[in-house]
Structures are given as C-alpha cells and as structure tokens.
Amino acid sequence: MALPANALVEAAPNFQISLEAALRFFQVQDADSAGARSARLKADLREMIAALAWSPASGRPARFLSARSAQAKLKVDAVQQLAAQAGLPHLREYVVGQHIVLYAHSETDVVLLAIKHQRQLVYSGES
C-alpha cells in the first residue's frame, strides 16, 4: 500500500512579516536569549511544516471562526471567501510553543498565513 503524497507547504508574504516581527520582539525583550529562542521557534516551525505536509488538517479549527459580533463575522466571512477562492477552503491553527500559526489548506496544499504569540489578540495584518 502506497503512502499518500505529502502536501505542499508554503508561506504567504504576511507569514514572513509576522515571523520577522516575532523574532525582532525576542531581541527587544531579551537580547541575551534572543538567538536561542529564535533557533527554538524555527526548529519547532520546521517540525510543524513536516507534520502539516503529512497531515494538513492536524491543527485545530481556527478559534476566530467562532466570532460573535457582526463586525467580526464579516471579517471571518471575507477571510473564508479568500481561502475558498484560493482553493484552500479550510482555516486552522497550529500551536507551536507559545505561538499560534494560522494556515489555510486543502488536501494537497497548505499556506501559512500568520504567526502570533498566544497573548496577542489578533494576527499581524488584521485590523
């Protein structure tokens, strides 16, 4: 029995921007430990990418999808429409240490959209 082919995992430009912001924050917060913390996060992200390539739905359902306010629901609808138009109808989150990665996926493709610290209310780029 053949194993299924791995999904293609790519990063959207916004993911790179939010990752760079997280790494800069490590430097501002504690310059002495920033290098080790950055290396740990990058290693954890590599493990996450391997897991998502093998099983794109391995993250949890994106929590912002359960928004209750009318304004938040409009934003959620817009994000879901963009994901569907891109052929990536599912939005999920993957917990990486103290960070959460938002991604969209289909059975064959994964696009990393943003990363935030668990204490942040919104992903970078959200208003």
Side-chain angles (χ1 to χ4, degrees):
M1 182 166 98
L3 294 174
N6 283 346
L8 175 64
V9 180
E10 298 178 302
N14 189 66
F15 179 80
Q16 282 301 122
I17 292 167
S18 58
L19 177 58
E20 289 167 7
L23 300 178
R24 279 193 309 274
F25 179 75
F26 288 163
Q27 188 67 34
V28 170
Q29 188 180 41
D30 180 13
D32 292 338
S33 68
R37 293 168 64 201
S38 295
R40 178 78 253 159
L41 178 57
K42 289 177 183 179
D44 289 346
L45 288 171
R46 283 190 295 276
E47 288 179 23
M48 176 202 70
I49 289 168
L52 291 177
W54 181 74
S55 177
S58 60
R60 68 184 185 202
R63 291 190 174 172
F64 74 88
L65 295 176
S66 61
R68 299 188 194 280
S69 74
Q71 183 180 13
K73 286 181 181 181
L74 287 173
K75 280 186 165 184
V76 167
D77 288 346
V79 169
Q80 286 179 311
Q81 286 178 5
L82 287 172
Q85 289 170 1
L88 303 166
H90 308 289
L91 293 169
R92 300 185 74 78
E93 294 174 326
Y94 198 100
V95 178
V96 178
Q98 293 187 2
H99 290 82
I100 302 169
V101 174
L102 175 66
Y103 68 97
H105 76 92
S106 66
E107 290 183 22
T108 58
D109 295 290
V110 175
V111 176
L112 307 177
L113 301 173
I115 184 171
K116 70 175 185 150
H117 190 276
Q118 64 185 357
R119 292 184 188 169
Q120 288 178 275
L121 295 178
V122 296
Y123 292 95
S124 294
E126 290 182 6
S127 10

